[in-house]
Amino acid sequence: METVASEMEWQSLSQKALQGECLTIEEGLAVLEADNDEILLLMQAAFKVRKHYYGKKVKLNMIINAKSGLCPEDCGYCSQSIISTAPVKKYTLLDKDTLLSGAREAMARKAGTYCIVAAGKGPTDKELDQVVDAVREIRHTMPLKICACLGILKDDQAKRLAEAGVHRYNHNLNTSRANYPSITTTHTYDQRLETVEKVKTYGMSPCSGVIIGMGETNQEIVEMAYALRELDADSIPINFLNAIPGTPLEHAGRTPSMKALKVLALFRFICPSKEIRVAGGREVNLRTLQPLSLFAANSLFVGDYLTTAGQDVTADHQIIEDLGFEIELNAL
């Protein structure tokens, strides 16, 4: 009888999500604090919502680290920050040919979206010129969607990126408003919100997500999901901290695999129609349970991340095939 009651409880959350109702704080906490024995029932309920909006299709995204290790910001999770002592490569913005080569690699990996990422508070005019030039050529020569992640934008910069053909702009909230000052001090939570609202104004699809495992409480995780629902982000990357030696968060423990699955289910319930992407740190935190993540999420990053390695893309393709899912080509 207890199992039946639990199944009904999780199914009631999927019904709420499908009806456009938002979970309460108490319901969100119940998801995150569910007994591990109920994980399959919980993921089944999340899959009901995921299947309604996305069927069995999986969107693939690939990142290119277009500028590395020269960031003046002090983000505690990042190996490229000014306060990090991690031994990362340092280089200025990649040239056009290298960015084009990355786009071709994204296509070879069956990624529909190519993400051009450059560490920094925001792009210089010269850097923006280089990105715009590359984006225009990619748009004319390849059937790829393009996402840019270049930091805080000025109005004219957002306008130029949109006019060049950037489909999506990423600027993660990363953590809760309350936890933000303990993670970053060189810019504010509100500046991030403002940038996401700005890209919406210029017609780019807003992409914004979180990093789980930076000292936030369960209630703050629920609040992060609420914030992204209110922001109406189209794409929500869920990163799980991969603690890098040389960063302030180097001693943070990994998120348990079961907890990671519960987080993904929570975001599916609270942001039911949005692209939920299993992002950075999935290999380290989900480990052998990675396939289960796609019962809540409908999107993956393939290949390497910014300064950390991902798994071989053939393993990701195999996971999708073995689940009976299919890659959604050229999907935003």
Side-chain angles (χ1 to χ4, degrees):
M1 291 295 292
E2 186 176 330
T3 300
V4 173
S6 296
E7 183 174 3
M8 290 177 64
E9 177 186 1
W10 304 132
Q11 290 298 328
S12 72
L13 297 188
S14 65
Q15 283 302 115
K16 284 189 74 167
L18 290 170
Q19 292 166 5
E21 301 175 38
C22 190
L23 272 62
T24 65
I25 283 281
E26 291 73 24
E27 289 169 330
L29 289 173
V31 171
L32 295 177
E33 295 165 5
D35 192 289
N36 286 346
D37 289 348
E38 298 187 22
I39 197 68
L40 291 180
L41 296 174
L42 179 60
M43 298 310 289
Q44 180 186 39
F47 180 62
K48 184 176 181 180
V49 182
R50 181 245 201 266
K51 188 176 181 183
H52 175 81
Y53 288 103
Y54 295 100
K56 293 184 175 181
K57 293 184 177 178
V58 181
K59 302 173 188 285
L60 299 183
N61 307 256
M62 194 196 90
I63 290 174
I64 186 167
N65 191 10
K67 176 186 174 185
S68 180
L70 299 170
C71 185
E73 304 297 281
D74 68 354
C75 304
Y77 53 84
C78 183
S79 59
Q80 301 182 76
S81 80
I82 195 168
I83 59 173
S84 168
T85 60
V88 298
K89 293 180 180 178
K90 297 183 179 182
Y91 51 82
T92 56
L93 194 74
L94 297 174
D95 61 32
K96 179 180 175 180
D97 286 344
T98 307
L99 294 177
L100 292 174
S101 177
R104 288 188 287 272
E105 179 60 27
M107 290 188 63
R109 295 180 183 186
K110 301 183 181 180
T113 302
Y114 178 50
C115 308
I116 301 173
V117 183
K121 188 156 195 170
T124 65
D125 290 339
K126 180 181 178 182
E127 288 170 341
L128 199 78
D129 288 343
Q130 290 176 252
V131 172
V132 163
D133 192 26
V135 167
R136 284 182 175 144
E137 182 148 348
I138 294 167
R139 287 298 311 274
H140 280 102
T141 58
M142 299 176 223
L144 278 173
K145 306 296 184 183
I146 300 173
C147 177
C149 178
L150 311 173
I152 295 168
L153 293 178
K154 301 172 186 175
D155 282 277
D156 63 309
Q157 293 176 325
K159 184 172 184 289
R160 289 189 63 202
L161 288 171
E163 289 175 345
V166 171
H167 297 87
R168 172 185 291 168
Y169 195 84
N170 167 262
H171 203 52
N172 291 333
L173 297 186
N174 287 328
T175 192
S176 69
R177 179 183 289 277
N179 195 41
Y180 206 84
S182 70
I183 303 301
T184 307
T185 67
T186 46
H187 59 266
T188 67
Y189 182 88
D190 283 326
Q191 282 179 296
R192 287 188 170 263
L193 285 175
E194 289 163 8
T195 293
V196 178
E197 292 292 356
K198 185 172 295 182
V199 302
K200 288 160 65 175
T201 299
Y202 289 96
M204 289 181 282
S205 174
C207 174
S208 188
V210 299
I211 304 173
I212 301 298
M214 300 198 297
E216 71 283 344
T217 64
N218 280 346
Q219 177 153 331
E220 285 176 317
I221 295 175
V222 179
E223 290 169 358
M224 290 182 224
Y226 283 171
L228 290 165
R229 179 186 174 102
E230 184 176 350
L231 193 59
D232 200 25
D234 292 331
S235 176
I236 303 174
I238 309 296
N239 300 276
F240 298 98
L241 182 69
N242 184 353
I244 299 172
T247 64
L249 291 175
E250 65 178 328
H251 298 300
R254 61 177 286 274
T255 299
S257 302
M258 291 289 204
K259 174 70 173 290
L261 291 174
K262 294 169 193 175
V263 168
L264 292 167
L266 173 77
F267 276 81
R268 175 55 68 201
F269 291 138
I270 293 180
C271 304
S273 66
K274 303 303 186 180
E275 176 186 344
I276 305 296
R277 186 181 323 133
V278 197
R282 67 177 167 96
E283 298 88 349
V284 173
N285 292 273
L286 282 158
R287 299 198 296 209
T288 59
L289 297 188
Q290 286 186 73
L292 285 178
S293 69
L294 288 178
F295 286 96
N298 64 295
S299 180
L300 292 174
F301 275 122
V302 290
D304 295 338
Y305 301 97
L306 294 176
T307 62
T308 57
Q311 67 188 21
D312 190 285
V313 68
T314 57
D316 293 324
H317 292 171
Q318 193 67 64
I319 286 172
I320 294 166
E321 180 183 334
D322 290 347
L323 288 170
F325 290 5
E326 61 177 305
I327 297 169
E328 185 176 354
L329 298 175
N330 305 123
L332 183 62

